[in-house]
Amino acid sequence: MSGTDERGAGGAPVSREALREVFADEVVTRALSRDVQLPYGAGKAVLITLDNGHDHTKPNTFGPAGLLSLDDAIEAARARTDITAVAVTGKPFIFAVGADLTGVPQVQNRDQAYAVAKLGHDVFRKLGELDVPTFAFVNGAAMGGGVEAALHCRYRTVSSGVPAFALPEAFLGLVPGWGGTYLLPRLIGAEQALKIVIDNPLAQNKTIKGPQVRSMGIADAMFEPADFVEESLRWAAQVVKGEITVERPEVDTGRAWDQAIDNARFMLEGKLRGAAPAPVRALELVAAAKDRSRDEGFAAEDEALADLIMSEELTAGLYAFDLNQKRARRPAGAPDPSLARPVTKVGVVGAGLMAGQLALLFARRLDVPVVLTDLDQERLDRGVDYVHGEVDKLLAKGRVSADKANRLKSQVSGSLTMDAFADADFVIEAVFERMSVKQDVFAQVEAVVSPEAVLATNTSSLSVTEMAAKLRHPERVVGFHFFNPVAVLPLLEVVRGERTDDATLATAFATAKQLKKTAVLCKDAPAFVVNRLLTLFMGEVLGAVEEGTEPEAADRAVAPLGLPMSPLMLLQLVGPAVALHVSETLHEAFPDRFGVSGQLRRLVDSGRTEIFGSDLQIDPEVRKMFAGGGDNASGEEEIKQRALEALAREIRIMLDEGVVAEPADIDLCLITGAGWPFHLGGITPYLDRSGIAEKVNGARFHPDGPKAV
């Protein structure tokens, strides 16, 4: 194989120039070299700085041109005989965040995909194969290929201020294919490596920070951000002179490695049920890394990347990624942000669990006083104590400082009267889900707040318009529907009532942004988006049980989708009483499409809230309540198909009604509010790919392919 052509097993060579053309729109990250004199007489080093010419809001990435720029810098250093070290760092706040994904949709065939994979290896591996010591000074955010570039260096320092360090590829439908699945487990062991390669990507793309990078042994030293590069150079000089010897624990490639692989395989099977190939492929690569040479390990990564770049899973993952990165930041239909009013104090009506979660979130993100109200002093005290207790947990985990914890506690208070809302700019109710109760609450609030104060409702299904109808200023009422647990699920359904004005809506979106939530504008329609679709989905499963299907079989039917939990487990999490209320609301609005399960009503009437026992089997008493249905049992595939067809039909109706602007908004809601699997790329593209949309509606949701914006 020539140095300028790459080919996979049995494939045709692809020139590097051809790769540049595929990634024609690449924002090129240049590798800028300069000589630095190391302290302590350690000689001269070449310091390579990765910089795409933009500020930190446009991070460094690696496309073909960027990789070749780094290759030129490494080769220039290799040719020199007057240097004692080579170091790589990034522009301010950013090391590098991985491959340039913008060109991936332009990759036309597997040969091109393989060439991209191999080029990354061909360049990065030189960092570990130079005659002089190589150092990665990880000064800022590092993800994907950025992490892998650092792993190829012999030594690594990390800034304590690094906000995010991750190998997120499995989250998108790829594997860490430029050395990650081989180098990382051989550096820190399989168990720790799998947390970075598989566990974190599947936990809503969790990242780690600088101190964890050091404690896990990925970095050899850590320094403060203010003088990070200078301190890293001092440390490197001592390594070069032999004054510091980096000692790394020996990696157990025996029983511990195999056990870590077995545990991860068990977890993946339970979580994904074979629905996502990328995490499984990543696991296979890590499993084999213990016995492979570097050449064998890198070659296997090349083949894996070539396969996955051409997969439907990656197309789906990139669409979902764009939804979260682009559409979520520019919500469709949001008014001019300049219309938003400042929020300097927040009121929360209620003191239950949801109210407590809301109070904590508003206090943390807005850094303003938050007052909870309730008619009962004991309940009010419990609500405030809950918030204070959660703050103590944050302090214990190091998530907030002692000063911040004290300030948060002082900002959250309780009151038995709504007079405490007199100077509040934003009041949200989190009381019992009954229209008359919520109308009465808003009438009381309106009597004490200013005419401009926003009145928000956390209702999950009731009409915002009806809730505001009896007020003097119905234009300042908006739906502000969070999902439980509030700290975990990003979605916030912002609901515009018939008389909600632009200033109120703009304030709602501005507040949502401060809360770091993904806001989606919804029409005031029963149950809005997520609860409407989840209720329909669960209804199909419960309907099958009523017809005579075993509950376990019906619950298992949708497992091939790789959902975060089964329908009956979701029913337990939501709460049978809440689920019944939403289904009754939807049945009243759409009796031809939404039924009310008699078995669910029996469960609620019994007072039981748990469906599963501690052994995760359906409780025998609950099973009796589910029994006694018909004798027309359905097969699991039939139930899954029925549920998906119902979703396709309902989504088409919702789009025709204007509940949201576009199919992308439906997808964003289900991904961020219901945990729809990222690897499926949104419900509407999935229904298109599977043929269900055309079968049910006569047309695809995305005739020209899914686009996030």
Side-chain angles (χ1 to χ4, degrees):
M1 184 183 299
S2 75
T4 56
D5 291 340
E6 322 289 0
R7 79 179 83 196
V14 177
S15 71
R16 291 179 173 183
E17 194 53 46
L19 277 187
R20 287 179 188 263
E21 293 175 9
V22 172
F23 287 74
D25 295 328
E26 176 185 353
V27 177
V28 180
T29 295
R30 305 287 179 191
L32 308 175
S33 298
R34 65 185 175 96
D35 288 358
V36 294
Q37 200 66 40
L38 293 173
Y40 315 126
K44 187 187 298 178
V46 172
L47 179 62
I48 301 171
T49 301
L50 305 172
D51 192 341
N52 63 5
H54 297 267
D55 67 16
H56 67 280
T57 61
K58 199 170 189 69
N60 297 328
T61 56
F62 290 113
L67 287 169
L68 292 174
S69 177
L70 179 59
D71 192 52
D72 290 343
I74 296 170
E75 285 299 328
R78 188 203 293 271
R80 295 178 61 175
T81 59
D82 63 333
I83 60 172
T84 58
V86 172
V88 182
T89 193
K91 67 183 183 181
F93 308 111
I94 302 290
F95 185 72
V97 298
D100 176 9
L101 297 176
T102 60
V104 170
Q106 309 310 315
V107 174
Q108 299 298 309
N109 54 57
R110 191 182 186 280
D111 292 330
Q112 290 179 348
Y114 179 86
V116 171
K118 190 161 191 311
L119 178 59
H121 274 128
D122 287 348
V123 174
F124 285 173
R125 69 181 300 164
K126 293 177 182 178
L127 290 168
E129 297 169 356
L130 290 179
D131 293 333
V132 297
T134 53
F135 299 83
F137 299 159
V138 183
N139 63 303
M143 299 181 195
V147 168
E148 289 169 303
L151 290 173
H152 278 274
C153 294
R154 286 188 221 170
Y155 305 100
R156 285 157 295 282
T157 65
V158 67
S159 166
S160 62
V162 166
F165 184 99
L167 290 173
E169 287 85 351
F171 179 67
L172 293 171
L174 291 171
V175 296
W178 284 343
T181 66
Y182 181 82
L183 297 172
L184 188 61
R186 294 176 73 91
L187 176 67
I188 61 173
E191 181 180 6
Q192 291 284 77
L194 287 168
K195 291 178 182 177
I196 305 294
V197 173
I198 293 177
D199 293 359
N200 287 356
L202 296 184
Q204 295 190 319
N205 211 15
K206 180 181 176 183
T207 63
I208 63 173
K209 299 181 186 299
Q212 292 170 280
V213 177
R214 176 67 186 100
S215 65
M216 291 181 76
I218 301 171
D220 303 303
M222 182 174 73
F223 303 107
E224 293 302 308
D227 53 359
F228 173 71
V229 172
E230 292 80 358
E231 288 299 320
S232 293
L233 287 169
R234 289 191 187 93
W235 183 84
Q238 292 173 288
V239 172
V240 169
K241 292 191 71 177
E243 294 172 1
I244 289 179
T245 300
V246 174
E247 296 182 359
R248 298 177 180 136
E250 184 178 350
V251 171
D252 186 339
T253 56
R255 182 177 178 80
W257 190 295
D258 295 339
Q259 187 63 52
I261 298 299
D262 289 344
N263 291 344
R265 187 173 285 119
F266 179 78
M267 181 275 292
L268 283 180
E269 177 56 33
K271 197 164 193 173
L272 300 177
R273 307 295 178 96
V280 176
R281 194 73 178 265
L283 177 62
E284 291 170 352
L285 289 167
V286 173
K290 74 169 187 172
D291 298 318
R292 282 177 170 159
S293 66
R294 282 168 65 89
D295 287 346
E296 291 169 339
F298 294 169
E301 288 181 338
D302 289 340
E303 297 295 340
L305 265 189
D307 290 341
L308 292 167
I309 286 174
M310 301 309 298
S311 69
E312 278 192 341
E313 182 191 11
L314 178 60
T315 301
L318 290 177
Y319 168 70
F321 181 75
D322 280 347
L323 283 177
N324 277 271
Q325 294 298 308
K326 296 176 182 177
R327 195 172 190 88
R329 294 176 182 175
R330 295 186 290 275
D336 184 344
S338 67
L339 297 174
R341 302 188 188 104
V343 175
T344 60
K345 181 178 178 179
V346 172
V348 180
V349 185
L353 178 59
M354 176 57 78
Q357 291 183 78
L358 296 180
L360 177 62
L361 180 69
F362 277 100
R364 284 192 74 193
R365 300 298 187 207
L366 271 59
D367 197 20
V368 299
V370 179
V371 181
L372 297 105
T373 62
D374 199 281
L375 298 175
D376 182 89
Q377 183 68 56
E378 184 179 346
R379 197 160 51 223
L380 187 62
D381 290 341
R382 280 202 307 269
V384 174
D385 287 346
Y386 166 80
V387 177
H388 290 184
E390 292 300 302
V391 171
D392 287 335
K393 291 178 185 177
L394 292 171
L395 177 62
K397 294 176 182 176
R399 303 271 299 277
V400 297
S401 66
D403 287 345
K404 176 71 170 175
N406 289 332
R407 189 165 74 253
L408 284 173
K409 288 182 180 181
S410 68
Q411 285 175 325
V412 178
S413 60
S415 173
L416 289 172
T417 72
M418 293 190 185
D419 292 341
F421 294 160
D423 55 346
D425 309 294
F426 193 102
V427 178
I428 184 167
E429 66 77 21
V431 298
F432 186 66
E433 192 78 347
R434 181 177 294 163
M435 181 60 73
S436 59
V437 174
K438 292 181 184 287
Q439 285 179 327
D440 183 55
V441 161
F442 274 164
Q444 294 178 54
V445 173
E446 188 175 51
V448 299
V449 297
S450 72
E452 292 78 28
V454 170
L455 304 188
T457 170
N458 187 46
T459 181
S460 59
S461 61
L462 299 177
S463 168
V464 175
T465 301
E466 184 180 350
M467 210 175 293
K470 298 178 181 179
L471 299 177
R472 294 193 305 277
H473 295 286
E475 70 280 357
R476 42 103 160 265
V477 177
V478 65
F480 215 60
H481 180 220
F482 291 86
F483 289 79
N484 197 14
V486 170
V488 175
L489 292 174
L491 181 63
L492 182 53
E493 291 176 331
V494 178
V495 185
R496 182 169 202 159
E498 289 178 9
R499 298 183 64 180
T500 306
D501 63 20
D502 283 351
T504 297
L505 202 61
T507 304
F509 274 102
T511 303
K513 185 176 181 179
Q514 285 182 278
L515 295 174
K516 298 185 178 181
K517 290 295 180 182
T518 299
V520 175
L521 180 62
C522 305
K523 180 182 176 182
D524 187 15
F528 317 127
V529 175
V530 173
N531 282 346
R532 181 164 167 176
L533 293 175
L534 287 185
T535 299
L536 184 72
F537 195 65
M538 283 194 290
E540 290 296 328
V541 171
L542 290 173
V545 174
E546 291 196 339
E547 291 168 359
T549 306
E550 290 292 316
E552 292 83 358
D555 199 36
R556 235 179 8 246
V558 296
L561 296 176
L563 298 169
M565 62 184 70
S566 71
L568 293 183
M569 190 65 77
L570 176 63
L571 178 60
Q572 177 172 294
L573 176 68
V574 170
V578 173
L580 177 63
H581 168 74
V582 175
S583 66
E584 288 173 338
T585 300
L586 285 162
H587 175 67
E588 185 178 343
F590 312 116
D592 56 326
R593 302 196 305 277
F594 289 84
V596 178
S597 165
Q599 291 161 325
L600 177 58
R601 195 185 297 281
R602 282 200 296 275
L603 181 62
V604 173
D605 289 344
S606 74
R608 287 181 173 271
T609 57
E610 302 288 319
I611 295 173
F612 294 88
S614 57
D615 58 355
L616 297 183
Q617 301 299 310
I618 294 177
D619 184 283
E621 293 302 314
V622 174
R623 210 175 188 290
K624 288 178 185 176
M625 295 179 204
F626 282 156
D631 56 2
N632 186 26
S634 300
E636 292 179 22
E637 180 61 29
E638 181 185 353
I639 295 170
K640 185 186 83 168
Q641 189 72 10
R642 231 164 63 183
L644 291 172
E645 287 181 8
L647 286 176
R649 191 176 300 111
E650 195 65 24
I651 290 170
R652 181 72 268 163
I653 291 170
M654 291 168 69
L655 291 169
D656 291 344
E657 291 176 350
V659 175
V660 290
E662 296 177 16
D665 294 311
I666 298 279
D667 298 326
L668 185 58
C669 282
L670 288 188
I671 289 170
T672 58
W676 177 264
F678 212 82
H679 60 268
L680 295 182
I683 179 70
T684 61
Y686 176 81
L687 293 171
D688 282 351
R689 290 196 308 274
S690 61
I692 294 172
E694 285 185 275
K695 176 184 176 183
V696 172
N697 301 321
R700 295 165 70 93
F701 289 108
H702 304 273
D704 301 320
K707 293 180 177 60
V709 291

